[in-house]
Amino acid sequence: MSQNVTDLQTAAAEQQAEENTAARARVGATRLLRTLLRNGKALAGLSILLAFIALALLAPVFFPGDPARITSAGASAPSLEHWLGTTTKGQDVLGLTLWGARSSLFVGFAAGILSTVIGVLVGLSGAYFGKGLDDLLSLATNVFLLVPGLPLLVILAAFMPPGLGTVIVVLTITGWAGSARVMRSQAMSIRGKDYVAAAQVSGERPLRIMTREILPNMASVVMTTLLGCIIGSIGAQAGLEFLGLGDVSTISWGTNLFWATSDGSLMLGQWWIFVPSGLAIALVAFALALCNYAVDEITNPRLRRPKHATKSTAATTVARKEGK
Amino acid sequence: MSFLLRRLGFYFLAFWASITLNFLLPRLMPGDPVTRMLSRSQQRLEPHQVEALRTMMGVDGGPIIPEYFAYLGRILTGDFGMSISRFPTPVSEVIASQLPWTLLLGLTSLIIAVILGNLLGILAAWRRGGFLDSVAPPLLVFIGSFPYFWLAMGALYIFGINMGVAPMRHAFSVGLVPGFNLEFILDVAAHLFLPALTIVLVSLGGWMLGMRNTMIATNSEDYILMAEAKGLRPHRIMLNYAARNAMLPSVTSMGMSIGFIVGGALLTEVVFAYPGVGYQLLAAVQGLDYPLMQGMFLTITAAVLIANFLVDLVYVRLDPRVRKG
């Protein structure tokens, strides 16, 4: 009977604590969001990103039907009818670019999120449990970090059956190690903090300590890693598909560029066929990089740009005198 | 010394892991690579060669453990098998003819990007909020957002097709005999210029920002203040005191980025039809030449590991703490 009561009490206390942490995390998240919106870089990056996502979602509205359908209007320069011109096969380039955004963004985000999740799992458990498990996981991480990514991508893609799923899996296999390393070093430093020791002494389960005590405190690092992983995935996917190793039948920015070269539009001087897709990749990557730098600046005040041009050591009077 | 030994052991382990991956890949994937390859090779293979291929790829379903050790032995003696698309040249010969070009392209662009990027980073951090610090980073990040191969396509389009000032493909002009003379060297340099330029442009931003951020941290150290108090000349403080100590992370990331450079060089080589390992790797993939593909992958991995070991040697030279620890 008394056992049950204490159980209930602990359960209630646990729930209370859980709500507290959850509330704290929520406050932290809204504060981060508000600071992000006040930061110029973040605002610019988020706007570009949202614009691309909106265009990707609206692609079927603007260009209904199959954008890859071959028509007779082959290789015409940009005009009022086709804003970005047509390809050698007579497909509208703007339509291909908008439709391409769907699979490119999807694969980029999916592979980026997957790599980050694996990175968090490997890094956190390695840092928390330490010893043999940590040695093993660190070794695997370092090996994958060192093996050159693109050649490995090419080899994997060559052996696996083509398809969007393969591309995502392959990108995750080559992408997780970088995030795992960052996560491990961050989790290691938090692992040594007093409140983690307190949680252990109070008998909390390892999983709970990892998710409730350690993970929320490395939110900003997870964020920058995630953004970095998405940038990497979008670039790697484009490279893979450009080499013709992705799924050539889906429309994405990478396959658009693949067809542009295999149709010889570069040699024929048809710049309008290969410019839009590459520009789209660059804009999305740039937008994500902007968000990344914004998160960096918010969490590391030293990197913020000073209002006036100063010498590096101007904070000290000695330096100021010397400078003048 | 023990640091270097530990690193060396780790590199051997990494190499062993990639050999094992190479061994397992054709055995784990669905489908039969040998049948796919045979349909491309137009019956130029003798029956016993087909049999050897089957054993190598593990299609015949033999016992896996002895096969694995046989495979390890073959790789360690440099026997990668025969190339299918360039039958009957051994894989190692094909690779040996391509590797120097990739090394030339990769090393040239890496060295230029590292030196230029670090210098820009040092200068930007030294004049916080100055012209270089406010204009260069966003611009370089934007350029760095473009895919390697796309920037290469753009450069090829503008300089090669529109203006006609740069060579369009290959590492040297057709009809020129390779040799150590001025004409050949100049021709190679002309062919190298555009591919190297695109790689440098894309990777410059990362180096500059990395260096700038560590420099900013170093600049607030006490010994910098001390150096100023002693009245040392600014450029001496900048280079010998701040930059020297801020270099360490850059050296570490140099090791990591060699793999990226190889990847970037792969794509750039494809666009410029530059006869390096990357170009050949793609040709091998298109020709379903699995032995050549695997040999290429192992060679690239080995090159990256060796480069990393060289970086470690430099690191030991730069950081006395590693030598003692």
Side-chain angles (χ1 to χ4, degrees):
Chain A
M1 183 67 196
S2 67
Q3 179 70 37
N4 269 342
V5 171
T6 42
D7 260 7
L8 273 178
Q9 272 170 347
T10 15
E14 248 172 42
Q15 197 169 1
Q16 180 77 40
E18 203 159 302
E19 273 162 15
N20 279 348
T21 1
R24 229 187 301 140
R26 253 199 310 278
V27 171
T30 44
R31 193 180 301 149
L32 184 68
L33 200 66
R34 218 178 305 139
T35 337
L36 267 180
L37 290 181
R38 237 180 291 146
N39 185 301
K41 277 182 192 152
L43 205 60
L46 284 176
S47 329
I48 300 175
L49 208 58
L50 285 179
F52 267 100
I53 292 174
L55 283 177
L57 290 177
L58 290 175
V61 181
F62 292 136
F63 293 93
D66 183 9
R69 206 164 56 87
I70 295 168
T71 65
S72 55
S76 60
S79 61
L80 276 180
E81 196 187 346
H82 299 285
W83 288 3
L84 293 179
T86 56
T87 67
T88 325
K89 297 197 196 73
Q91 302 139 329
D92 186 272
V93 175
L94 184 60
L96 281 180
T97 312
L98 289 193
W99 277 88
R102 294 166 80 89
S103 106
S104 282
L105 289 178
F106 172 71
V107 171
F109 275 86
I113 291 170
L114 269 178
S115 313
T116 313
V117 168
I118 296 178
V120 168
L121 285 179
V122 170
L124 256 186
S125 48
Y128 184 82
F129 293 108
K131 297 195 194 94
L133 183 71
D134 186 33
D135 287 342
L136 197 71
L137 291 178
S138 298
L139 190 68
T141 310
N142 286 329
V143 166
F144 269 90
L145 266 180
L146 216 54
V147 172
L150 201 76
L152 180 60
L153 273 179
V154 169
I155 289 281
L156 286 172
F159 275 106
M160 286 164 95
L164 267 194
T166 301
V167 175
I168 295 177
V169 169
V170 165
L171 289 178
T172 311
I173 292 177
T174 52
W176 66 273
S179 63
R181 195 170 79 140
V182 178
M183 293 303 157
R184 179 178 170 274
S185 62
Q186 186 70 16
M188 282 292 256
S189 74
I190 295 176
R191 172 85 174 81
K193 293 262 158 64
D194 285 343
Y195 59 81
V196 176
Q200 277 178 314
V201 170
S202 66
E204 284 188 21
R205 272 168 290 121
L207 188 68
R208 204 186 132 82
I209 298 179
M210 279 192 270
T211 53
R212 290 282 166 183
E213 309 285 346
I214 299 180
L215 196 56
N217 285 300
M218 43 195 271
S220 70
V221 182
V222 175
M223 187 75 183
T224 48
T225 311
L226 174 65
L227 291 171
C229 278
I230 298 174
I231 297 175
S233 302
I234 290 179
Q237 182 210 8
L240 206 58
E241 282 170 343
F242 169 70
L243 295 176
L245 291 170
D247 186 0
V248 191
S249 58
T250 54
I251 303 165
S252 76
W253 292 331
T255 45
N256 286 350
L257 290 170
F258 167 73
W259 287 118
T261 28
S262 67
D263 290 346
S265 56
L266 187 69
M267 294 298 155
L268 295 171
Q270 297 152 350
W271 53 270
W272 62 89
I273 299 177
F274 69 87
V275 165
S277 291
L279 212 56
I281 296 171
L283 275 176
V284 169
F286 182 59
L288 289 164
L290 278 180
C291 295
N292 215 343
Y293 289 116
V295 175
D296 257 355
E297 272 179 17
I298 289 164
T299 48
N300 184 1
R302 255 199 211 155
L303 293 180
R304 267 178 229 165
R305 206 147 60 89
K307 288 259 177 340
H308 309 287
T310 46
K311 262 202 80 211
S312 52
T313 44
T316 56
T317 40
V318 183
R320 206 170 283 155
K321 256 180 226 151
E322 200 260 349
K324 291 284 147 67
Chain B
M1 201 57 219
S2 74
F3 168 77
L4 284 181
L5 279 180
R6 246 185 303 133
R7 297 298 294 172
L8 206 58
F10 168 68
Y11 292 136
F12 274 112
L13 205 73
F15 193 57
W16 168 78
S18 34
I19 294 178
T20 308
L21 185 76
N22 241 345
F23 173 79
L24 287 177
L25 215 49
R27 288 167 174 77
L28 292 179
M29 292 306 153
D32 173 0
V34 176
T35 318
R36 263 186 275 167
M37 265 188 302
L38 287 181
S39 59
R40 288 288 183 97
S41 70
Q42 291 135 7
Q43 273 84 46
R44 274 177 304 175
L45 292 172
E46 306 277 329
H48 72 272
Q49 285 165 329
V50 176
E51 213 38 59
L53 263 178
R54 284 187 178 279
T55 316
M56 196 167 167
M57 293 284 160
V59 184
D60 52 359
I64 221 164
I65 305 284
E67 257 182 36
Y68 176 61
F69 283 104
Y71 183 76
L72 269 186
R74 276 203 304 275
I75 296 297
L76 291 181
T77 50
D79 175 15
F80 296 115
M82 292 279 178
S83 163
I84 304 297
S85 56
R86 295 170 132 211
F87 193 78
T89 327
V91 166
S92 45
E93 244 172 68
V94 179
I95 297 173
S97 68
Q98 314 279 353
L99 196 60
W101 295 114
T102 298
L103 286 180
L104 180 69
L105 175 61
L107 282 182
T108 315
S109 37
L110 179 70
I111 290 170
I112 295 175
V114 167
I115 293 177
L116 208 61
N118 279 333
L119 269 181
L120 286 175
I122 292 169
L123 290 175
W126 200 245
R127 290 244 166 244
R128 288 298 303 283
F131 176 75
L132 192 63
D133 191 32
S134 17
V135 174
L139 188 70
L140 286 178
V141 169
F142 184 64
I143 294 177
S145 306
F146 285 98
Y148 274 98
F149 61 92
W150 190 82
L151 215 60
M153 285 162 83
L156 188 63
Y157 176 74
I158 294 172
F159 296 106
I161 295 168
N162 261 9
M163 292 162 66
V165 288
M168 303 275 293
R169 55 178 72 84
H170 303 320
F172 52 88
S173 302
V174 181
L176 211 59
V177 185
F180 198 73
N181 51 46
L182 191 67
E183 192 197 357
F184 183 70
I185 292 174
L186 281 181
D187 192 56
V188 167
H191 281 80
L192 186 67
F193 183 73
L194 267 192
L197 180 75
T198 53
I199 299 180
V200 169
L201 270 182
V202 174
S203 49
L204 200 57
W207 292 110
M208 177 179 175
L209 279 172
M211 189 58 189
R212 170 181 170 269
N213 291 355
T214 17
M215 262 296 267
I216 288 170
T218 317
N219 275 339
S220 54
E221 295 281 348
D222 284 340
Y223 57 80
I224 302 290
L225 186 62
M226 177 67 189
E228 296 213 354
K230 281 197 293 188
L232 294 180
R233 265 191 227 108
H235 77 261
R236 194 188 148 117
I237 303 174
M238 178 173 86
L239 293 177
N240 290 11
Y241 284 68
R244 200 184 157 165
N245 285 293
M247 275 300 283
L248 286 179
S250 260
V251 172
T252 318
S253 56
M254 201 164 134
M256 308 293 332
S257 75
I258 289 168
F260 289 111
I261 288 280
V262 169
L266 197 158
L267 288 166
T268 313
E269 280 171 14
V270 171
V271 174
F272 286 99
Y274 202 78
V277 174
Y279 185 65
Q280 190 60 49
L281 179 61
L282 183 69
V285 169
Q286 285 164 345
L288 290 177
D289 188 346
Y290 290 98
L292 185 55
M293 246 190 273
Q294 296 193 311
M296 289 274 170
F297 174 64
L298 281 183
T299 313
I300 295 174
T301 310
V304 168
L305 295 180
I306 292 170
N308 268 280
F309 186 65
L310 294 180
V311 169
D312 282 341
L313 288 180
V314 175
Y315 197 89
V316 170
R317 182 84 194 75
L318 286 179
D319 191 349
R321 282 171 299 184
V322 185
R323 251 173 287 166
K324 279 189 196 129

